Amino acid sequence: MRKWFRRSAIAGGSLAALTIAAWVALEAGDRAFPPPLPDRLAVSAEVVDRDGQLLRAYATPDGRWRLAATLDQVDPAFVDMLVAYEDKRFFEHRGVDVVALARAALQFATNGRIVSGGSTLSMQLARLLEPREQRSLGQKLRQVFRALQIERRLSKREILELYLTLAPYGGNLEGVRAASLAWFGKEPRRLGVSEAALLVALPQLPERRRPDRNPAGAQSARDRVLSRMVGAGLLGEREAARAALDPVSDLRRDLPALAAHAADVALRNQPGQARHQLTIRRSVQENLEAVALDAARRTGPRVSVALILADAMTGEILGEVGSANYFDASRSGWIDMTRTLRSPGSTLKPFIYGLAVEEGLVAQETLIEDRPADFAGYRPRNFDMTYQGDVTVRQALQLSLNVPAIRLLDAVGPQRLVSRFRQAGVTPVLPPGEVPGLAIGLGGVGLSLRDLVQLYTGLSNGGDAKVLRDGSEAAAPTPLANGMVLEERAAWQVSDMLAGVRPPVGAAPRGIAYKTGTSYGNRDAWSVGYDGRHVLGVWLGRPDSGSVPGISGYDSAAPVLFEAFARSGLAATPLRRPPAGAFHLSPGDLPVTMERFVSADGDAVSAVRAAAEPAPRIVFPPDGARVELGAASTEATPLVLKLQGGRAPFRWLANGKPLADIERRREATWQPDGVGQSTLTVIDAAGRAASIKVFVE
């Protein structure tokens, strides 16, 4: 008995000594030869939408599609299937499954060939981190050592995620996400049973089992996985049998390439980032790209289409299409036509009319002449080369007549129009050395589609424009200090007129306000529309500025606008309600001085008479004054109004609404209907106007 105890003690001591020696050797080897765990794994750059959905991915520098994967991005059933098939004791061992290795050694000794490898997922990860050229005992021992090292440094979750990022799936596909997108066209969050089984089988022999080259081999490997899952208790026999009936497709799909131009900008502006998030919504982007491609094909060869859909309240871009097809060289698809300067045609006219309304020069039902006119040598003509005679301001804008627009621009001043654009964050580009002239009213200036949509956010948003952004910027854009492109009442008047433009032929009414434009020589067709929340802009033409016979804003771009709104998937939002003081006056309610717009160029007699006297000027109250009238009480005091100059009679307007009487005296009274800021305007018999703002307390 003593001898037995002595031998046991010696054996135990020897085992302990060997264990300590092995531990010391492992520690020394671990320090001397650390595992090649990357500090930063080279993965494909990803551009995702506002909800984290993949828009576009880029191959790694070595040409691999390798998308970073986390367990949260993968169907848990697939992970369970992977562990059960590859390493069923994964969560129990510390890198090496001794039982599996012993079984593999016995099978090799018995059969004279490798029946099962005995490799754990940690050992397979070691092989992925240090690729081997051939299988050998030395390589296997190296994997064992590396697996032990990896398990000391990484959690089981981290090991799984690294494996799911690096595992090969055929060709240049690495990682379960790239494989799922290429073979099934979807992210691996909700894999079907047969799909999950195929992805479990592929990494073992990825080239031999590629579905696009050997669908029969892929199906056979998948069915073996399904059979094993029945034995492991993860699948029932019927469920596995149903999954085995699913065909294996031999199609390899391209990875997503949505919002390609915006994605390129994000990578340029944010270098070094692996993940870029845009404000775009994937569903909107997919639909807009389909609309653009269909429209370009209908229009003809070499034609491209660009679209931007933005949230007018925030400036966030929800969808942007730079070309009909990014990869179509015949349409110069690589050119981002949302940022390219072009002639905007008649799309700036709403802002001219808005300034004229703001100044009290016209109302919607004011008559204005559409006849040939000469503005110091500039002779604008209508698109169809005809003239309508006397029309209302509302009709002139809705019909996009050129002469009335230039008459009003001449009255409000081109420089003032450009100043409002700059206030809204948009700087029109003029030829070198040129100053703003009347030609800008008909498109004689350079603007991009992004510029136009930004301006139109002001019309949708009560006059307050918002800076557009899509998340690709190097830094967050600075909000506008004062983005007012038009006063709120004027913006509503313009929107009320544009809402009456009839939809293009075949388009269903959408409840939007919109404007079209066509540049000189039929080079650009435009349409910009909006509801109470969203603005959508469309450009159609040739990127090389070539003429496209027959295109126009109304016939070519407007149908695309209505189709894009309908297919965007966004709910229609009613246009804004009229603000306080905004009215659509009938012709009978117009003051005499606003019944007809008469400029100096259009009425020589008025011009002579006006030249003999100065223009009207409100001298009391001064502009910007705060007046205490007790407006909140029932006994509010009326405000006395005084002016100098001008020719009687005078029509006074408060917030766009005419006061009751026409005054021949240069003094009037106004009873405010509440506290707050108001605009007071006086118009004399020659049609000249002056305005001030006061704050009533």
Side-chain angles (χ1 to χ4, degrees), residues 23 26-27 30 94 147-154:
W23 182 82
L26 178 62
E27 284 290 324
D30 189 58
R94 298 300 301 273
L148 295 172
Q149 290 182 303
I150 289 171
E151 289 271 353
R152 299 182 69 186
R153 287 167 170 81
L154 301 180

Side-chain angles (χ1 to χ4, degrees), residues 509-640:
R510 169 96 184 171
I512 64 172
Y514 80 104
K515 182 71 184 74
T516 62
T518 309
S519 68
Y520 179 77
N522 301 92
R523 290 177 171 83
D524 310 275
W526 303 86
S527 187
V528 189
Y530 57 94
D531 60 13
R533 182 62 187 258
H534 302 109
V535 180
L536 177 60
V538 177
W539 170 88
L540 183 149
R542 282 177 48 170
D544 62 0
S545 297
S547 177
V548 185
I551 69 165
S552 69
Y554 185 77
D555 294 324
S556 305
V560 180
L561 176 80
F562 276 75
E563 183 184 2
F565 256 127
R567 293 175 60 178
S568 69
L570 298 175
T573 303
L575 290 163
R576 284 183 168 238
R577 297 176 61 84
F583 304 92
H584 180 182
L585 297 175
S586 65
D589 292 331
L590 290 175
V592 173
T593 52
M594 293 186 71
E595 290 178 354
R596 172 182 290 274
F597 175 76
V598 180
S599 64
D601 295 291
D603 188 343
V605 175
S606 295
V608 171
R609 292 168 123 180
E613 56 206 3
R617 182 170 65 90
I618 300 174
V619 295
F620 186 85
D623 188 26
R626 302 178 71 92
V627 292
E628 175 64 57
L629 299 176
S633 67
T634 57
E635 300 180 357
T637 304
L639 178 64
V640 177

Side-chain angles (χ1 to χ4, degrees), residues 7 42 52 96 270 321 348 406 433 499 509 633 652-653 673:
R7 290 176 180 173
V96 178
Q270 303 160 3
V321 182
L348 300 183
I406 297 305
S633 67
W652 288 87
L653 296 89
D673 55 7

Side-chain angles (χ1 to χ4, degrees), residues 195-220:
E195 295 168 340
L198 179 59
L199 293 184
V200 168
L202 281 178
Q204 297 165 18
L205 295 170
E207 292 307 312
R208 293 185 191 177
R209 297 173 178 175
R210 283 180 57 169
D212 59 337
R213 295 185 177 179
N214 185 9
Q219 182 168 334
S220 177

Side-chain angles (χ1 to χ4, degrees), residues 25 30 72 103 220 322 332 435 438 464 542 566 603 629 655 691:
D30 189 58
D72 296 334
R103 184 189 67 245
S220 177
S332 302
V435 296
L438 296 180
D464 185 19
R542 282 177 48 170
D603 188 343
L629 299 176
N655 298 322
S691 296

